[in-house]
Amino acid sequence: LAAMNNNLGYSMAVEKLMGIEIPRRAMMIRTICAELNRIGSHLIAFGTYGLDIGAFTPFFYAFREREWMMALFEKICGARLTYSYIRIGGVFNDAPPGWLSEVDRFCDVFEEKWREYYDLLVENHVFVMRTKDIGIIPEEMAYDFGLTGPMLRGSGVQWDLRKALPYEVYDELEFDVPVRYNCDTYDRYLVRMEEMRQSTR
């Protein structure tokens, strides 16, 4: 679900060990790819979550935009699943002509589509009844289980590596870290929803 981000984590570890400096443009492209992959990963979570509680429509909606995100990755690296685009020292090649403009257009369209996702489930009575106050993981338990990402932030912990220990160009970007405090499955859903919106910022 996050192959591009896995490439980034591995490359950054090797770069740190070897003291390799990354060109700024490569860092910017890597950051864009990481946030696109975050959106794609969260779309899977959103869509399959709907399936889990008996709602089929969100799944199809989510795959509509995820397909566009994967097409963007295919254009920049030629692959749709295991990308191997982010490499030690930078990226495999520069973004092709027009790619950044299409990413910009994707973000504009995604803002509108995000509202559709939100309207499908957030205030849906059946969805709320099946997720609110269910699967509560308080902060202490989240630490004990070693939770990270939206799972941790859905348990009331405001921790995001992009803010706490910024890498690539995250220290230059404006975005919020969504946190929810009821610690249930509904909160974890809301965190992922808001994170997708923040990624487009």
Side-chain angles (χ1 to χ4, degrees):
L1 294 179
M4 195 72 83
N5 299 46
N6 290 335
N7 289 162
L8 178 59
Y10 174 75
S11 296
M12 286 173 52
V14 174
E15 289 157 2
K16 185 174 183 179
L17 286 169
M18 296 179 66
I20 298 172
E21 192 171 329
I22 311 305
R24 178 169 172 75
R25 182 170 176 86
M27 286 195 296
M28 294 169 76
I29 292 173
R30 282 158 63 143
T31 303
I32 290 169
C33 287
E35 290 308 304
L36 283 172
N37 210 166
R38 181 183 307 274
I39 291 170
S41 174
H42 285 5
L43 283 173
I44 293 288
F46 157 74
T48 56
Y49 200 15
L51 283 178
D52 287 345
I53 57 114
F56 285 87
T57 306
F59 182 76
F60 296 116
Y61 277 45
F63 268 76
R64 179 185 57 197
E65 274 66 62
R66 187 172 190 277
E67 181 61 30
W68 190 357
M69 181 276 302
M70 291 178 72
L72 283 166
F73 280 179
E74 190 174 9
K75 286 179 182 176
I76 201 168
C77 71
R80 289 177 51 83
L81 190 60
T82 52
Y83 307 111
S84 299
Y85 172 67
I86 295 174
R87 305 281 179 91
I88 297 164
V91 291
F92 173 65
N93 55 20
D94 199 357
W99 189 82
L100 292 170
S101 298
E102 188 174 350
V103 169
D104 196 37
R105 191 163 58 86
F106 171 84
C107 291
D108 289 342
V109 171
F110 191 82
E111 287 279 345
E112 299 171 18
K113 300 306 182 183
W114 181 90
R115 174 50 61 183
E116 290 180 4
Y117 308 150
Y118 192 88
D119 291 344
L120 277 171
L121 290 181
V122 169
E123 294 177 3
N124 179 298
H125 178 71
V126 174
F127 179 78
V128 173
M129 292 298 292
R130 292 180 179 178
T131 58
K132 196 89 169 140
D133 297 322
I134 304 294
I136 293 175
I137 303 176
E139 181 177 338
E140 302 77 28
M141 187 184 292
Y143 288 133
D144 289 343
F145 287 178
L147 299 185
T148 62
M151 294 289 291
L152 185 62
R153 292 186 282 278
S155 291
V157 181
Q158 189 163 4
W159 175 259
D160 189 318
L161 283 175
R162 297 170 300 164
K163 287 281 191 186
L165 303 167
Y167 52 94
E168 300 303 321
V169 296
Y170 282 111
D171 57 344
E172 303 173 35
L173 305 180
E174 290 184 20
F175 64 97
D176 300 322
V177 176
V179 181
R180 303 290 296 192
Y181 297 94
N182 201 44
C183 308
D184 55 15
T185 57
Y186 186 69
D187 275 6
R188 292 189 286 277
Y189 163 78
L190 290 176
V191 165
R192 285 187 175 91
M193 289 298 293
E194 182 57 28
E195 282 192 2
M196 288 193 289
R197 204 164 66 88
Q198 293 300 321
S199 288
T200 62
R201 287 180 66 187

